[in-house]
Amino acid sequence: MFESSVADTLDEQLAALVGKPLGAGGPSVAPDPVNQPMIRHWAAAFEDRNPVYVDPQFAAGTRFGEIVAPPLMLQTWTMATPKLTGIAERGGSPVERGGAFVLTILDEAGLVGTLATNSEFEIERYLRLGETVSAETKLESVSPEKQTRLGPGRFVTWVTSYTVGSGEVVGRQRFRILKFRPGDAPA
């Protein structure tokens, strides 16, 4: 009877977070506008030789009319600068967590293992040089507890919306992880 009551309380806590921003502090704003050096480094790192990312003359003759950023670079503009000091105490998170963070609640419930399961991007349009990107991440869902090969766990899904200017959505990323209880895997 007590276990059911605890599970209901956990389910209620998690349900109350669905649709709300993850962490505290509101949307994150890119520290730098979309810029050519970062695009050039990204394209080089991925050996992406598309000239629309690095050649102004070529890009001028395309449907874009100018240099654009690779679409999957969207997330990089608003990523927080990692903090290495205290990373172990944050469970491996490279940034501080704030507010009623769903992962903290699941950690406290014993679901301390984390496995990324999938990431999906929707690109509305390419970013242009000089644009400043903002990102807001909201919790989309937390599954009921399921028995997985890794142990009992819950799938957690959040959606990040990326905007520029006065709120124009340029893309979204849906990210899903499995939070599980290590050591409780079925034999």
Side-chain angles (χ1 to χ4, degrees), residues 75-111:
Q75 167 185 31
T76 63
W77 301 108
T78 58
M79 291 176 76
T81 302
K83 295 180 183 178
L84 298 180
T85 303
I87 197 168
E89 292 80 1
R90 291 189 302 274
S93 176
V95 294
E96 303 275 344
R97 295 187 202 164
F101 196 70
V102 65
L103 301 182
T104 302
I105 292 170
L106 292 170
D107 285 345
E108 290 170 358
L111 303 175

Side-chain angles (χ1 to χ4, degrees), residues 39-59:
I39 292 170
R40 183 172 35 80
H41 287 292
W42 173 279
F46 286 96
E47 296 183 355
D48 188 338
R49 291 177 179 80
N50 188 336
V52 76
Y53 304 142
V54 295
D55 183 339
Q57 284 184 314
F58 178 86

Side-chain angles (χ1 to χ4, degrees), residues 154-183:
R154 293 174 182 256
F155 290 92
V156 180
T157 306
W158 56 81
V159 176
T160 303
S161 295
Y162 297 92
T163 59
V164 295
S166 62
E168 176 192 2
V169 176
V170 292
R172 289 172 202 80
Q173 179 188 24
R174 178 170 280 107
F175 194 76
R176 184 173 294 116
I177 63 170
L178 171 65
K179 287 293 286 175
F180 63 96
R181 188 173 297 109

Side-chain angles (χ1 to χ4, degrees), residues 59-79:
T62 68
R63 64 186 168 116
F64 304 112
E66 63 184 304
I67 294 282
V68 292
L72 291 184
M73 195 178 180
L74 187 62
Q75 167 185 31
T76 63
W77 301 108
T78 58
M79 291 176 76

Side-chain angles (χ1 to χ4, degrees), residues 136-152:
E136 183 173 38
T137 303
K138 292 185 178 181
L139 182 64
E140 183 178 71
S141 64
V142 180
S143 75
E145 191 166 295
K146 302 173 183 297
Q147 182 59 51
T148 73
R149 289 177 47 200
L150 297 172

